[in-house]
Amino acid sequence: MNNIKIGLLGLGTVGTGVYKLIGMRSDIMEKTIGAQIEVKRILVHNINKKREGIDPALLTDNWREIVEDEEIQIVVEVMGGMEPAKTVIMEALRAGKNVVSANKDLIAEEGRELLDTAQEEGRDFLFEAAVAGGIPIIRPLKQCLAGNDIDTVMGIVNGTTNYILTKMFEDGMDFEDALKKAQELGYAEADPTADIEGLDAARKVAIMASIAFHSRVVFSDVYTQGITKITARDIAYAKEFDSVIKLLGVAKNTEDGIEAGVYPMMLHKDHPLASVRDSFNAVFIHGDAVDDAMFYGRGAGEMPTASAVVGDVIDVARDLQHGCTGRISCTCYKELPVKAWGEVKNAFFIRMQVRNQPGVLAAIAKVFGEHKVSIARVVQEHTNPDAAELVIVTEKVKEKYMENALDKLKSMDSIYEISSVIREYV
Amino acid sequence: MNNIKIGLLGLGTVGTGVYKLIGMRSDIMEKTIGAQIEVKRILVHNINKKREGIDPALLTDNWREIVEDEEIQIVVEVMGGMEPAKTVIMEALRAGKNVVSANKDLIAEEGRELLDTAQEEGRDFLFEAAVAGGIPIIRPLKQCLAGNDIDTVMGIVNGTTNYILTKMFEDGMDFEDALKKAQELGYAEADPTADIEGLDAARKVAIMASIAFHSRVVFSDVYTQGITKITARDIAYAKEFDSVIKLLGVAKNTEDGIEAGVYPMMLHKDHPLASVRDSFNAVFIHGDAVDDAMFYGRGAGEMPTASAVVGDVIDVARDLQHGCTGRISCTCYKELPVKAWGEVKNAFFIRMQVRNQPGVLAAIAKVFGEHKVSIARVVQEHTNPDAAELVIVTEKVKEKYMENALDKLKSMDSIYEISSVIREYV
């Protein structure tokens, strides 16, 4: 029986999960692939650190020992970050190895070069784990849904923020407390910026949009806005509107270009994404043939991410067994423009504190009208004799017009504060 | 550029969708696969019938013209039914062709023989469309989640019944009216038996369980119970219990065998399957690495089903381009027993009309106790001076014990009627 050898780059949470899972599934692999799969070498920072269940003889702190090992056919990169990950992957591909990676940061920025190199070398470069952890999404997009013209990919692709928003929505927590609880549970890091500001989600959106629309979208193409400004008051209104607030990554392929952004959004409770709770992730797509579809599951964590990595490893092993590595390569054969964010149309929920006197609403409505913003709904609550809270929900309007309207409103004496501006899914 | 020729067996709803979609996607195929894909021949009953947009020269009523055509490399079977579909597929495989099928009836009963033949011939036999229409489920199970030991596959895999139950739940319709509406909309056939009695869902459960558990499960292994006895009263209780009623296909891989059944079930509203509405389908799985995952979308219809078929066609075309057809074959290498239904454990919701007098509840509780049934919850409502409606929710108990307990209850004078027996997901 063929014995396929793996070089594992990194032995953090995901790397440890991958190592364990490959061991746990050796019987299945032998029977479904007809080959044994064995981790031969593991790249770590410190080869002297004791690691339970890992033979120290496997460890190396020199990645060349993996890239130059002729027996190793699959390199699994779970070290993360840009460098040295990129250099090692490129060298591994150039040395004729197949690569499985979970590195969303790298793929969201340098995916094209990595995929092109894999294609030149006729090798597999798979990265199911880089988007939404254990949830199958790359392979469904590239294969199962390959017959579709996909116009929308939209998802909850960050578990930390979904956990925080769920706690705020269901348990009435405020943002700071929910974040603290997420940190206690290990869902959020000590520095939570990448999660709560939407940067992590934006990387995943870039990768998904590239695959779904057959055109490269990189991290810097994605507009991002985090969830730090969402308040209990906004959530109360969401409930009143039979909606939830979710941090969504949204990518659309429109006639005049690709739109890509990450931002909190009010979403009606009947939408399939609305019932995605806690730290779960889900990706919703719309294609011209399949109509709506959604993929739901664990977006992070040791074993869910290892599930995706090992699924890729098994697929590479099948390709090795059948002599067809490089079978699925880059599918970005279009060069579609990415729309300037100001040109993207959205509907908005705007909550503001205004002077409680006749004519204020009319003045505000006039500003909106002058900036091409149509009002869909107005809710006014008197908070004290002098002040009122005014909520305006708009029709879809270009982001740049809304920005101009908000600038104008901010300069008005009768408006004390614009408390929230949240996009609404319509 | 390579020109891959297809023989299409059947030109009903799905066949027409497949023909259209292959035409619509020719540009994508050329660019992502590097080959053209062309429908060369179409098998129909009546070659003289006018069909808009279809060149009559493509039509044949003799399947041998497709199977014996050396140019045809992929046969797409969308005729349905057992014969002649099986014979034609077998002959096509023997003639060295790859086959894509949407035929759940055939695969749920004869899948092993078809897959074994494909494997012997080194050809692809793909059938993503046979389970849950456009929703990717076969490929995720066989590839993306291949690193998992999957213990549960559970789903809403029949759109007709989900539509009916949604109308009953949300609009207060009774079963007959909801069925009529489903028929008017084309969701239900004139003879709705296969849908409403759970037979259609059972075929899909057999296929999914076989793949998820690596062991053959056939249609006759699947216990089935339909939705015809669900009443408005049951739905009112479901609402009271923060639950919904769904027709679920449930397959579990337990230590003492596989459990497979289709039946209506009360499901708490927080479960991801609970929010699957209208004619949508969804498949929920649990694996030891990935944890919970769910796949949601359109389970039927011309274009969603065509989406799955064309995804398979593109995959076969890739294998042809890389000389690796037969890359993924049958993965049922285990021979696990299927549990006798009486041995399966479930929790139950039991609604009955009883005499309103002291001691009746105690007598009923005694019967349950004697049959090893533990009671989790009791709700009693007085309907008139003499009668009461009693609802008992049980803990999990073997089906055979429950059956015996119900037989005994039916013989009691103080019980006028056992109105409903519905399983409850716990």
Side-chain angles (χ1 to χ4, degrees):
Chain A
M1 187 175 285
N2 220 343
N3 186 336
I4 296 171
K5 296 208 164 54
I6 290 178
L8 184 59
L9 307 174
L11 197 58
T13 305
V14 176
T16 306
V18 169
Y19 182 81
K20 282 196 283 194
L21 196 54
I22 288 175
M24 284 159 69
R25 288 299 112 78
S26 57
D27 61 326
I28 288 190
M29 293 176 187
E30 286 176 22
K31 278 167 181 140
T32 61
I33 313 169
Q36 289 174 322
I37 296 184
E38 183 193 330
V39 176
K40 189 185 176 190
R41 294 296 260 169
I42 306 173
L43 179 72
V44 293
H45 278 296
N46 178 1
I47 57 170
N48 296 315
K49 189 171 143 189
K50 280 255 172 184
R51 291 170 172 92
E52 206 179 328
I54 311 260
D55 178 358
L58 299 180
L59 305 179
T60 174
D61 55 7
N62 178 4
W63 58 262
R64 293 200 180 275
E65 285 191 16
I66 289 173
V67 169
E68 289 167 8
D69 186 327
E70 303 228 329
E71 273 195 344
I72 289 175
Q73 292 183 286
I74 308 176
V75 169
V76 175
E77 186 271 304
V78 285
M79 58 209 293
M82 303 301 282
E83 283 295 351
K86 185 185 171 189
T87 301
V88 184
I89 291 174
M90 290 293 285
E91 293 287 324
L93 290 168
R94 292 282 180 219
K97 302 191 187 316
N98 301 280
V99 175
V100 172
S101 171
N103 192 334
K104 60 183 170 295
D105 302 38
L106 179 59
I107 295 162
E109 300 200 16
E110 310 280 357
R112 164 151 280 171
E113 195 180 341
L114 300 172
L115 278 158
D116 285 350
T117 305
Q119 190 161 0
E120 282 164 26
E121 301 290 340
R123 292 295 178 264
D124 284 336
F125 178 67
L126 303 183
F127 48 91
E128 185 66 76
V131 176
I135 308 173
I137 181 70
I138 307 289
R139 199 171 278 99
L141 282 173
K142 283 200 171 189
Q143 297 182 247
C144 309
L145 302 172
N148 284 267
D149 186 7
I150 293 173
D151 58 35
T152 306
V153 183
M154 184 167 100
I156 295 167
V157 288
N158 180 274
T160 309
T161 45
N162 203 46
Y163 176 83
I164 291 171
L165 290 171
T166 303
K167 287 289 138 191
M168 291 175 73
F169 193 87
E170 295 185 3
D171 301 345
M173 281 190 183
D174 65 21
F175 173 78
E176 292 301 334
D177 288 342
L179 170 60
K180 217 170 135 188
K181 177 132 196 205
Q183 285 171 321
E184 282 165 17
L185 289 168
Y187 289 160
E189 294 176 51
D191 175 1
T193 312
D195 290 324
I196 63 177
E197 294 298 353
L199 311 179
D200 171 80
R203 294 192 175 95
K204 296 165 182 169
V205 167
I207 298 171
M208 290 192 296
S210 299
I211 295 168
F213 307 149
H214 303 292
S215 182
R216 184 64 47 188
V217 176
V218 296
F219 174 54
S220 57
D221 291 327
V222 185
Y223 169 87
T224 55
Q225 184 189 321
I227 62 164
T228 56
K229 291 177 184 164
I230 303 294
T231 66
R233 193 90 187 123
D234 299 320
I235 283 175
Y237 277 103
K239 287 182 181 176
E240 195 178 318
F241 297 167
D242 281 334
S243 296
V244 297
I245 299 177
K246 295 288 185 188
L247 182 69
L248 293 183
V250 182
K252 293 191 179 180
N253 188 9
T254 73
E255 278 185 12
D256 46 346
I258 291 174
E259 303 175 2
V262 171
Y263 36 83
M265 206 165 200
M266 288 214 182
L267 189 71
H268 192 272
K269 68 180 174 52
D270 280 347
H271 193 284
L273 285 171
S275 51
V276 176
R277 302 169 57 251
D278 289 332
S279 64
F280 277 95
N281 283 20
V283 176
F284 175 91
I285 74 112
H286 181 268
D288 63 347
V290 77
D291 193 20
D292 292 342
M294 190 177 80
F295 306 88
Y296 165 100
R298 294 263 173 219
E302 177 186 9
M303 296 314 283
T305 309
S307 165
V309 171
V310 173
D312 279 352
V313 166
I314 292 173
D315 231 22
V316 177
R318 280 192 173 114
D319 287 346
L320 285 166
Q321 289 290 91
H322 289 85
C324 60
T325 61
R327 182 177 164 274
I328 299 181
S329 48
C330 185
T331 50
C332 288
Y333 59 86
K334 295 183 186 172
E335 295 208 7
L336 301 173
V338 176
K339 224 184 254 188
W341 187 249
E343 299 298 318
V344 172
K345 283 185 175 178
N346 270 307
F348 289 84
F349 161 96
I350 299 153
R351 183 168 63 86
M352 53 188 129
Q353 313 306 319
V354 303
R355 188 176 292 160
N356 184 14
Q357 70 178 37
V360 170
L361 178 58
I364 291 169
K366 183 159 172 282
V367 170
F368 277 128
E370 284 166 0
H371 290 85
K372 310 189 186 185
V373 182
S374 295
I375 293 173
R377 174 146 63 150
V378 176
V379 179
Q380 185 163 347
E381 288 189 19
H382 292 235
T383 48
N384 68 50
D386 181 50
E389 181 164 83
L390 189 65
V391 164
I392 291 178
V393 178
T394 76
E395 305 284 359
K396 278 194 168 190
V397 57
K398 282 189 179 178
E399 290 271 348
K400 65 181 179 188
Y401 297 142
M402 177 53 70
E403 203 182 323
N404 293 341
L406 290 172
D407 281 346
K408 176 77 183 180
L409 291 176
K410 280 174 197 158
S411 70
M412 287 168 66
D413 286 343
S414 55
I415 298 183
Y416 300 140
E417 180 191 83
I418 295 182
S419 312
S420 301
V421 179
I422 301 174
R423 292 169 185 86
E424 191 178 68
Y425 182 80
V426 284
Chain B
M1 189 175 286
N2 220 344
N3 187 337
I4 296 170
K5 296 209 162 55
I6 291 178
L8 184 59
L9 307 174
L11 198 58
T13 305
V14 176
T16 306
V18 170
Y19 182 82
K20 282 196 284 193
L21 196 54
I22 287 175
M24 284 159 68
R25 288 299 114 79
S26 57
D27 60 325
I28 288 190
M29 293 175 185
E30 287 176 23
K31 279 168 181 140
T32 61
I33 314 169
Q36 289 173 322
I37 297 185
E38 183 193 330
V39 176
K40 189 185 176 191
R41 295 295 261 170
I42 306 174
L43 179 72
V44 293
H45 279 296
N46 177 0
I47 57 170
N48 297 316
K49 187 171 146 189
K50 280 254 172 182
R51 292 169 171 93
E52 206 177 328
I54 310 259
D55 178 358
L58 299 181
L59 304 179
T60 174
D61 55 7
N62 177 3
W63 58 263
R64 294 200 181 274
E65 286 191 15
I66 289 172
V67 169
E68 290 167 7
D69 187 327
E70 303 228 328
E71 271 196 345
I72 289 175
Q73 293 183 284
I74 308 175
V75 169
V76 175
E77 186 270 307
V78 285
M79 57 210 292
M82 303 301 283
E83 283 295 351
K86 186 184 170 189
T87 301
V88 184
I89 291 174
M90 290 293 285
E91 293 287 325
L93 289 169
R94 292 282 181 218
K97 304 194 187 316
N98 301 281
V99 175
V100 172
S101 172
N103 192 332
K104 62 182 169 297
D105 303 39
L106 180 58
I107 296 162
E109 300 202 15
E110 311 280 357
R112 163 152 282 170
E113 195 180 342
L114 301 172
L115 278 158
D116 284 351
T117 305
Q119 191 161 1
E120 282 164 25
E121 301 289 341
R123 292 296 177 265
D124 283 336
F125 178 68
L126 303 182
F127 47 92
E128 186 65 76
V131 176
I135 308 174
I137 180 70
I138 306 288
R139 199 170 278 99
L141 282 174
K142 283 201 173 191
Q143 297 183 250
C144 309
L145 302 172
N148 285 267
D149 186 6
I150 294 173
D151 58 35
T152 305
V153 183
M154 184 166 100
I156 294 167
V157 288
N158 180 273
T160 310
T161 46
N162 203 45
Y163 177 82
I164 291 171
L165 290 171
T166 302
K167 286 289 138 190
M168 291 174 73
F169 193 87
E170 295 185 3
D171 301 346
M173 282 190 183
D174 66 21
F175 173 78
E176 292 302 335
D177 289 341
L179 170 59
K180 217 169 133 189
K181 177 133 198 201
Q183 284 169 323
E184 281 166 17
L185 289 168
Y187 290 160
E189 293 176 51
D191 175 0
T193 313
D195 290 325
I196 63 176
E197 295 298 352
L199 312 179
D200 171 80
R203 294 191 174 97
K204 296 166 182 168
V205 167
I207 298 172
M208 289 193 295
S210 299
I211 295 168
F213 307 148
H214 304 291
S215 184
R216 184 64 48 186
V217 177
V218 297
F219 174 53
S220 57
D221 291 329
V222 185
Y223 168 87
T224 55
Q225 184 189 321
I227 62 164
T228 56
K229 291 177 185 164
I230 303 294
T231 67
R233 194 91 187 121
D234 299 321
I235 283 174
Y237 277 104
K239 286 182 180 173
E240 195 179 317
F241 297 167
D242 282 334
S243 295
V244 296
I245 298 177
K246 294 290 186 188
L247 182 69
L248 293 183
V250 182
K252 292 189 180 184
N253 188 9
T254 73
E255 279 185 11
D256 45 348
I258 292 174
E259 303 175 3
V262 171
Y263 36 82
M265 208 167 198
M266 289 216 182
L267 189 71
H268 192 271
K269 67 179 174 53
D270 280 347
H271 193 283
L273 286 170
S275 51
V276 176
R277 301 168 59 250
D278 289 332
S279 65
F280 278 94
N281 284 19
V283 176
F284 175 91
I285 74 112
H286 182 267
D288 63 347
V290 78
D291 193 21
D292 291 343
M294 190 177 81
F295 306 88
Y296 165 99
R298 294 264 174 220
E302 178 186 9
M303 297 315 283
T305 310
S307 164
V309 170
V310 173
D312 279 352
V313 166
I314 292 174
D315 231 23
V316 176
R318 280 192 174 114
D319 287 347
L320 285 166
Q321 289 290 89
H322 288 85
C324 60
T325 61
R327 181 177 164 276
I328 299 181
S329 48
C330 185
T331 50
C332 288
Y333 58 85
K334 294 182 188 173
E335 296 208 7
L336 301 173
V338 175
K339 225 184 254 189
W341 187 249
E343 299 298 319
V344 171
K345 283 185 176 179
N346 270 309
F348 289 85
F349 161 96
I350 299 153
R351 184 167 64 86
M352 51 189 132
Q353 312 308 319
V354 303
R355 187 176 294 157
N356 185 16
Q357 70 178 39
V360 169
L361 178 58
I364 290 169
K366 186 161 170 279
V367 170
F368 277 128
E370 285 166 358
H371 291 85
K372 311 190 186 185
V373 181
S374 294
I375 293 173
R377 175 147 60 154
V378 177
V379 179
Q380 185 163 348
E381 288 189 18
H382 292 235
T383 49
N384 68 49
D386 181 50
E389 181 164 83
L390 188 65
V391 164
I392 291 178
V393 178
T394 76
E395 305 283 0
K396 279 194 169 191
V397 58
K398 283 190 178 176
E399 291 271 348
K400 63 180 178 187
Y401 297 143
M402 177 53 70
E403 204 182 322
N404 293 342
L406 290 171
D407 281 346
K408 175 78 183 176
L409 292 175
K410 280 174 197 159
S411 70
M412 287 168 67
D413 285 345
S414 55
I415 298 182
Y416 300 139
E417 181 191 83
I418 295 181
S419 312
S420 301
V421 179
I422 301 173
R423 291 169 186 85
E424 191 177 69
Y425 182 80
V426 285

